[in-house]
Amino acid sequence: MAGSPAYAVDLTAMIAATMLPFVSFLTILIATRGRPRLSAGLSIGSVTISLACSIALLALHFHLAAPIEFSTRLLASGGLDIPFGFLLDRLNLLMIAIVSAICFLVQVYSLGYMAGDPGFSRYYGFMSLFTWAMMSLALSASLLQLYFFWELVGLSSYLLIGFWYEKFSATQAGKKAFVMTRAGDAAFFIGLLLLFVHTGDLSIAHLDSRSALSGVSPSFLTLSALLIFGGIVGKSAQFPLMTWLPDAMEGPTPVSALLHSATMVAAGVYLFARLFPFFSMSSVAMTVFLAIGTISMLLASTMAIVSRDIKKVWAYSTISQLGFMIMALGAGGYFAGVFHLTTHAGFKALLFLCSGVFIHRYETNDIYELSRFGARRMVIPTVSIVLGAAALSGLPPLSGYFSKEAIMGSLAAMHNPLWLAAGLAGVFLTAYYSFRVIFILLFPRAEGAASPPPQEAGITAGGHAAHESGYRAMAWPLIILSAVSVIFGFFKTSFKDFIGGGAAAGGAAGMEPSWLHIAPLALALAGVGLAWVEFGRKGAKQIGFVDRMPVLSRLFAERWYIDRFYGLVVEFVIDRGISRLCSQNDRKVIDGSIDGICEGTVESGWVVAFLQTGMIQYRLLAILGVLALLLLCFYF
Amino acid sequence: MIAPFSHVLVVAGILFALGAFCAVTRRNLIMIVLGIEIMLNAAAIAFVGGSLHLDNLDGQTFVLFILAVAATEVSVGLAIIVYAFRRTGSFDPADFNLLR
Amino acid sequence: MHMEPATFPFLSAILLSCVVGMLTIMVIPEERHVLIKQVSIFFSGVCLLLTLYVFFAFNRSLGGLQFVEQVSWIPTLGISYFNAVDGFSLPNLLLTGIVFFTGVLTMWELNTRVKEYFALYFLLVTGVFGLFMSMDLFFIFVWYDVSLFPMYLLIAIWGTTRKEYGAMKLTLYLLAGSALILPAIIFLWAKSGLNTFSFVSLMHPGMFSPADQKFAFLLLFLGFGILAAVWPMHTWSPDGHVAAPHGVSMVHAGVLMKIGSFGVLRVAIMLCPLGWIYWAKSMAVLAVIGIIYGALVGLRQTDLKYVIGYSSVSHMGVVGLGLSTVTVAGLNGAVFQMFAHGIMTALLFSSVGYIYDRTHTKLIPELGGLSRIMPVASAFFILAALAGVGLPGLANFWGELLVFLAAFKVYPLFGVIGVVTLVITALFMLRVVQKTFYGPANARFAGLPDVSPWLGTPRIILAAVLLILGLYPSLLFNVIRTASVPFMNGLPR
Amino acid sequence: MNWITEGPEIFYFGASLWFLLLTFAAPQKPVSNGGRRREYLSAILLASVGILVCLASVRAEGWLFIRAYSVDLFSQVFKTLLSLGLFLIVSLCGSISDIDERRHNEFYFLLFSCTLALMLLVSADHLLSIYLSLELSSYSLYILVALRKRRALGLEAGIKYFLTGSFAAAVMLFGMALLYSSCGTAYLPDMAKVLPGLISRPTVIMGLLFTLGGFFFKLAVFPFHSWAPDAYQGASNQVAGYIATASKVAAIAVVLRVLASAGHGSAYLVHVLVILSVVSMTLGNLAAIVQKDLKRLLAFSTTAHSGYVLIALLVLDPAGYSAAIFYALALLVMKFTVFMVIVELAPDGRNLQIEELAGLHKRSPIMALALLVALFSLAGIPPTVGFTGKFLIFTAAIQKGYVALVIIAMINVVISLYYYLLVIKAAYLLEPAEALPPLLVSFPKKLLAGFSIVGIVVAGFFPYWLIQIANAAVLPLFGGR
């Protein structure tokens, strides 16, 4: 198929979109570390080309009928044939567009945010690494290739979270993120190998065709689906591997916006969507996924209610929204899940970037402090953050409203009304916690008088100027993303056509009862209202209802003690338990016995040597004795 | 009457054992040498007996040489032992324990 | 088996350049350090170039034995000087060339007893090269021992922590291994009745009875297994790593441990395939214990080199698991993993060496914040640690992938355990990285120079190899396959 | 009769006579340095000519004394080795300060006559000639040991050596009497014909065992080894070197000859040899671990090496015997090299403690290297002659099915490596308490050391020529005539 010119164009575009960031990554790390401006230029240049290629591909193949696959054999070793290539269908056309667009915006934004950081070049190097890995992940033709880049995405996440490596908490968070996602990935890897061993082919197109797996036993299918889902749980920070994501907020804010909200964590959901036909072959697995999505969504929402750290609120909200997506997909709502993925990428990136502006300016993450410092005076971010929060809460006419509605639609199609109830509760909580933040930010309740913008004196003139120019670089992405959040929802229908045509399995959608249009909206409004009562209105004490219940608030603040539990497991079971046991065994038993044998040999040497020092006649006796013994042997 | 060869061997064996006993038990260097001489003589008896038994002269030749060698042995041995006695004043084998 | 005679004795030329290098070093006066080092670099460079030539000139479509050189040595016992490379030995040969060269470069700053060091180092490597290219059991044993005994002096004289203990332990352990190998080799020779030690003549299915194969395989596996740090015969390896000077640690972990696994493959498996099949399950159990045990013990170590040492135990367990699967994929993965692990540990030790030479400590609690002080030097270590974690894009991933894949087919449970251990490996590797390189810069080490391009050369080479193979593994797999596929096809079932 | 056949014996007889005459002519007062030098030069000249004579007669064949004495390739090869051993040891006697100056002529006389006796021994084909030459060599050695200037050590060693030796000789003699009377002959070739039929008789077994005991004494095999540590420690360094090299070579030869004639067909004898071999090497190696005195350590290692040699002998076939011959050569070279280093390091003739080796690598790199190579060779590490010798022994043993025995031997090799490494550690690792001056090694000694190193390595790596000689030398024992 490589002959026709159209394919050649596609291939070139895809290679350019994926490989250029890699080239820039290598160049930055090897050659241009000492020149921050050049590095940033390289990185942004490459991501611009990626974006252009992605959009070109999207435009070219907007009415793509059948997936296009390019593959070459990367590795063939007896009995094992690992193809490597590109798969192009509507889903990943969409994905690469989202990824490259947000990468582009965030990298531009970072010009301002990261200005003056000593690791500026390194930052852009890692950003390029991420872009490469994420774009390649989206375009992967086989599950193994996807895993390959899946891990690399994890690597860039590790490096970027721990970017400020002199901060202990940052490095700790990076390590935690890597290890926890790795735990999920181990399951993914096992599932992948299992699948390979039984089917002999990991090509995504192959796995998604029902005919290919018809001969495989259902229980096996369920098992491998569950294992692969383990990877999704890790990457998308679902229950029970959810706690790394809030910690990951230790990284620079643009990183949180890019990796830990819009794209990388969405890779899990993307994988779900990618293998949707495969997963949907096992109804048991789908139910499990649905349950996990629901649990994560609710738990994370409760955590978000009590957090004072603005980034952490958005982080919890990310988990919760990802939970929504998983729920949607688990309920068979392919379109709803992917649609929410898209809209969420936009408004969540927006939220983070806005918060980043505040944090960059006031150097604190605490909502109350930000509010007291007068964050609301920065107009563009404030407007944008309100828009973003509204989109997150699912208020019309913003994009979030449409995608939430779609999700509720697919949940409603389930037999068990419990899922829908949980979803609706989630909608309420989402609206509540997002507007809690907004109202706190908008209506400062200073203990004293309105405090002046702080630290004005502390910032030198040059630094201030840098902030100002940086502010402009940071503002544009906000405006673009806000616009997207506002407009995108109206393209629901065409989006549905685009996506729905792309996937073979549409899932259940359609017969939605009319009250479904109203219920989510009503609940979202109720959430906003409660937030208004507690935080917004004049005289409100800005104490949430949960805060009045110490037990509950403690439980939520401690993240339901999940983290504590893992800490204990790692410390007591692994570190002080098995690992210590093994070390002791190594030193005492194995080394001990070897050393013991050696010492015994030397000791016996002393004995033997001592026997040689006696009187001469003992030796004569020994000669006689041994001869006599040997002769005796003869008679036996 | 002619003693059977096995009796000769038994006598030689007993003599050998006596010599060995002497060499092993007596705490005097000279007596050890004497014990060894007795062992040599036991061998000589066995040789003579064998020679007669087989009607072969090799055994007799052996005895002649054993006598000569035994004489050499005594001279070399006594030379060393006496020299040692002059230095240490002792014939007790237990006193020679420098080497360890 | 196809045999392609050599037009020019390249393999002997490799050995000869080592020996000539050693002799040249021995005649240079001790005081002329720089000259000695330059000569060492020259001769090791020649070796590297020759191995590279052999590697790329190896005909991948033909396979079999190539560059064959054979000279009768002791005809009465059927011993011949028989050198050749096949798909199994070629990667190891290249590995030796690379580690040898980079090991010489790493020791550029040595200034005590330089002459003796490099002379012994060359002798050591001569043995390693010889072992990988030899096709005669007698010579395999000779080279095996030649590559071991310089270790004692190298560690005991130039080493660091508990060096005499480590050196003695290592030497005795490994010689104990050879105590099992030599009888087994002679046993095979005697049982064949052909009066030949030639590997090619002995490697015929049905040459040895099943009972003989089981017996000989056990001896050979235990003997070579000691060198491959098979659990529970592994404790010499961390102690030895820690005690050895950096260049020697590189060769030791990078190449010497491969001799063990290579010996298991070449001698034990290829000559006693029935024994292999019989013992495979036990091998797998030991290997899996090694994988998880190494990682768990590594978790508690506070000495950088101990950490690497125990991670090596774990990684060599992966090799062992691959060898025990009795599949093509397993063999391929194991040989690939040998190569990848060799390069990776060489890189780790080389980096630790640089750091130790500056800070004079390799205790993790005393270090910290090195990334701020020497970012490039740290980056190399971190890269290697990531390779050790099995990150895609770096060479180790492919080896582990194939091994676990093969293990899943044969021993699903062991495969699961192996994969789960990757998480623990990640935990302890990243912990080390965090504690050593991250955090606020340590005032004690402020002002220490970062690695200069010249001193960084060995690490650049090693890192580049890791990366190239991580992205283009076929470079190696194409070679390994030429040996593994025919071998497995010829296996009696 | 062709004179060349007995050339070596006649030559060495003449040489010892020459020194005997010199003892009468020697002045009674202490001689000047020149006098000592002259004796040394004449000794080394005679010893080197002796090698040539042996080489010239290497192809000779013949009999003497109504076949009690046979000259064949086997004996001639061993004679060449013995002459080589003597030459090497004499070359170490340049500054022999541990023997009274007035006794130098006697010293050389005894050395040459002992060599003569050993040469007779390797050719002896009759129990009587074996006995006589054995005793002759033993008496020379007793006196050589006792001749040391450090009298307390020398005399004690002499007494112990003498008593154990005479005791063993008496045992051997009794055994010979039993053998003779059972077989009806004292010719080894004739005994070889009768013995297989009689081998299960108690008297024959007893006789064989006792007879071998005498040879095992020479070889320092358990339980006849107990003199070795004391004799090595008590004798002067050169004499200890002589016992360790030339005397061992001859002992291997005579055991070989006797076993080749007598050993076939007795499983019991093989078992005894297996037991003795295992116990010898284990015991020797264990005891050597804890020694502080280098010579005493070497004595115990000698016992261990005798254990290895016994493995070669007990397979009772040509491959084993030729391996034993090869190993004899290997032992000669290796042990000599170590003693050369000892002599160089202790010019005043004292006993060398292991820790005194400290700093050797700095004081004299070539001597340190020679010691290193020799010890690794003793430990059996390739590519040295010691390894090749062990390899030949093990191939012979495994071909006969003694796999377990070989594994035990290999484990012993590992144990032995431990104490060799301790010595190497002392030479290469330890630094002396106070700085010692560099060792002044004369050029000939350097040359000798160089030759030893090259010899050990080359003979180990290119052994084929030597193996062929060893194979050829074995042939006469198996009806080569």
Side-chain angles (χ1 to χ4, degrees), chain A residues 49-82:
Chain A
I49 297 175
S50 287
L51 177 62
C53 292
S54 311
I55 290 176
L57 283 171
L58 185 63
L60 209 59
H61 296 293
F62 196 75
H63 298 291
L64 184 68
I68 309 173
E69 199 173 344
F70 300 91
S71 81
T72 155
R73 183 177 291 178
L74 174 70
L75 177 62
S77 88
L80 178 66
D81 208 347
I82 296 175

Side-chain angles (χ1 to χ4, degrees), chain A residues 324-579:
Chain A
F324 266 122
M325 297 172 209
I326 303 263
M327 284 171 79
L329 289 166
Y334 178 78
F335 158 71
V338 175
F339 190 43
H340 195 56
L341 170 76
T342 317
T343 58
H344 173 256
F347 62 69
K348 191 50 71 61
L350 174 63
L351 284 170
F352 268 108
L353 294 182
C354 292
S355 315
V357 176
F358 295 138
I359 293 168
H360 189 66
R361 177 66 184 268
Y362 299 110
E363 296 182 358
T364 177
N365 284 4
D366 190 293
I367 321 169
Y368 291 96
E369 280 191 33
L370 283 176
S371 156
R372 223 176 309 134
F373 293 157
R376 63 177 171 174
R377 258 170 286 172
M378 303 176 86
V379 179
I380 301 174
T382 311
V383 172
S384 308
I385 203 170
V386 173
L387 279 174
L392 173 61
S393 314
L395 295 182
L398 299 164
S399 56
Y401 166 73
F402 296 97
S403 51
K404 279 258 170 67
E405 193 196 5
I407 291 173
M408 293 309 135
S410 45
L411 287 178
M414 300 296 288
H415 291 299
N416 196 333
L418 201 62
W419 305 121
L420 181 60
L424 291 174
V427 170
F428 170 74
L429 287 174
T430 308
Y432 173 69
Y433 67 67
S434 20
F435 274 87
R436 167 176 168 264
V437 173
I438 298 299
F439 289 139
I440 292 173
L441 275 182
L442 287 181
F443 307 110
R445 292 286 190 281
E447 275 82 342
S451 47
Q455 289 157 353
E456 202 74 60
I459 299 167
T460 59
H464 195 72
H467 270 237
E468 280 309 308
S469 68
Y471 182 66
R472 243 168 279 137
M474 294 193 278
W476 280 110
L478 299 189
I479 296 170
I480 294 171
L481 282 172
S482 314
V484 169
S485 296
V486 172
I487 304 167
F488 194 72
F490 298 108
F491 293 102
K492 182 183 175 186
T493 328
S494 58
F495 187 82
K496 189 168 185 175
D497 289 343
F498 176 68
I499 283 301
M511 33 160 215
E512 298 162 3
S514 57
W515 57 268
L516 248 185
H517 296 288
I518 303 157
L521 182 57
L523 279 167
L525 284 173
V528 174
L530 182 60
W532 169 253
V533 170
E534 285 183 354
F535 299 96
R537 69 184 169 84
K538 272 216 167 69
K541 295 228 175 58
Q542 294 205 334
I543 298 172
F545 65 96
V546 183
D547 294 329
R548 294 170 213 274
M549 293 176 271
V551 180
L552 216 54
S553 88
R554 182 90 195 279
L555 180 68
F556 294 166
E558 289 282 352
R559 306 176 191 169
W560 295 73
Y561 294 98
I562 296 175
D563 241 10
R564 203 59 81 76
F565 173 72
Y566 287 139
L568 290 181
V569 167
V570 168
E571 188 174 351
F572 285 100
V573 178
I574 295 181
D575 259 5
R576 297 200 190 163
I578 312 171
S579 169

Side-chain angles (χ1 to χ4, degrees), chain D residues 67-117:
Chain D
R67 302 192 105 177
Y69 190 82
S70 61
V71 174
D72 48 26
L73 188 59
F74 175 78
S75 67
Q76 297 313 87
V77 164
F78 271 100
K79 281 174 196 167
T80 313
L81 289 183
L82 289 171
S83 64
L84 180 67
L86 178 71
F87 169 76
L88 292 173
I89 295 298
V90 166
S91 70
L92 296 183
C93 296
S95 59
I96 181 160
S97 54
D98 211 23
I99 306 286
D100 201 333
E101 282 88 355
R102 286 171 300 167
R103 303 272 174 257
H104 276 195
N105 285 315
E106 281 92 336
F107 171 77
Y108 288 120
F109 161 64
L110 289 168
L111 217 49
F112 275 82
S113 61
C114 183
T115 310
L116 170 65

Side-chain angles (χ1 to χ4, degrees), chain A residues 601 605 609 612 619 623 630 634-635, chain D residues 202 223-226 230 268 286:
Chain A
T601 311
Q612 307 294 319
R619 306 177 191 179
I623 293 176
L630 288 176
F634 177 66
Y635 292 103
Chain D
F224 302 94
H225 68 286
S226 57
D230 296 336
Y268 168 74
L286 286 181

Side-chain angles (χ1 to χ4, degrees), chain D residues 294-319:
Chain D
L294 191 51
K295 279 196 293 175
R296 203 172 168 84
L297 183 146
L298 285 172
F300 281 114
S301 97
T302 298
T303 302
H305 283 283
S306 305
Y308 305 140
V309 172
L310 274 191
I311 297 180
L313 299 177
L314 63 86
V315 299
L316 301 173
D317 72 354

Side-chain angles (χ1 to χ4, degrees), chain C residues 217-289:
Chain C
F217 184 88
L218 185 63
L219 287 184
L220 288 168
F221 173 69
L222 291 179
F224 282 115
I226 289 179
L227 195 48
V230 169
W231 188 89
M233 305 176 287
H234 66 278
T235 56
W236 63 271
S237 128
D239 284 333
H241 286 316
V242 173
H246 322 304
V248 175
S249 296
M250 286 169 69
V251 173
H252 171 190
V255 182
L256 272 185
M257 290 171 89
K258 310 303 166 302
I259 288 185
S261 45
F262 179 76
V264 170
L265 173 60
R266 167 72 87 216
V267 185
I269 291 179
M270 292 183 83
L271 289 186
C272 313
L274 293 178
W276 180 36
I277 293 166
Y278 178 80
W279 290 107
K281 187 105 187 183
S282 319
M283 278 172 77
V285 171
L286 291 184
V288 165
I289 295 178

Side-chain angles (χ1 to χ4, degrees), chain A residues 22 26 33 74-80 82 118 132 144 147-148 151-152 155 158-159 165-166 168 171-172 175 178-179 182-183 186 189-190 193-194 196-197 570 574-576 578-580 582-583 585-587 590-591 594-595, chain C residues 165 169 173 231-232 234-235 239 293 296-297 299-300 306 310 328-329 332 371-372 376 386 389-393 397-398 401-402 404-405 408-409 416 419 422-423 426-427 430-431 433-434 438-441 470-471 474 477 481:
Chain A
F22 180 61
L26 286 183
R33 270 187 322 124
L74 174 70
L75 177 62
S77 88
L80 178 66
I82 296 175
W132 168 56
L144 185 70
Y147 177 78
F148 189 103
E151 288 287 306
L152 284 181
L155 167 70
Y158 165 72
L159 292 172
Y165 54 76
E166 286 173 65
F168 175 72
T171 57
Q172 194 72 9
K175 188 180 72 181
F178 192 84
V179 174
R182 202 79 210 274
F189 194 52
I190 292 171
L193 292 181
L194 211 58
F196 182 80
V197 168
V570 168
I574 295 181
D575 259 5
R576 297 200 190 163
I578 312 171
S579 169
R580 181 146 162 224
C582 287
S583 308
N585 176 54
D586 215 50
R587 285 284 145 234
I590 297 180
D591 259 8
I594 291 295
D595 287 353
Chain C
Y165 173 78
K169 190 170 181 177
Y173 246 109
W231 188 89
H234 66 278
T235 56
D239 284 333
Y293 186 90
L296 283 172
V297 178
L299 207 55
R300 283 187 72 79
Y306 265 119
Y310 279 104
V328 174
N332 288 349
S371 262
R372 171 60 70 217
V376 180
L386 290 172
V389 170
L391 201 77
F397 171 75
W398 297 108
L401 172 73
L402 282 199
F404 289 139
L405 189 70
F408 260 96
K409 276 188 195 152
V416 170
V419 174
L422 288 181
V423 181
L427 181 64
L430 295 188
R431 228 183 231 187
V433 167
Q434 182 194 15
Y438 296 159
L471 297 177
S474 293
F477 277 121
R481 201 177 37 178

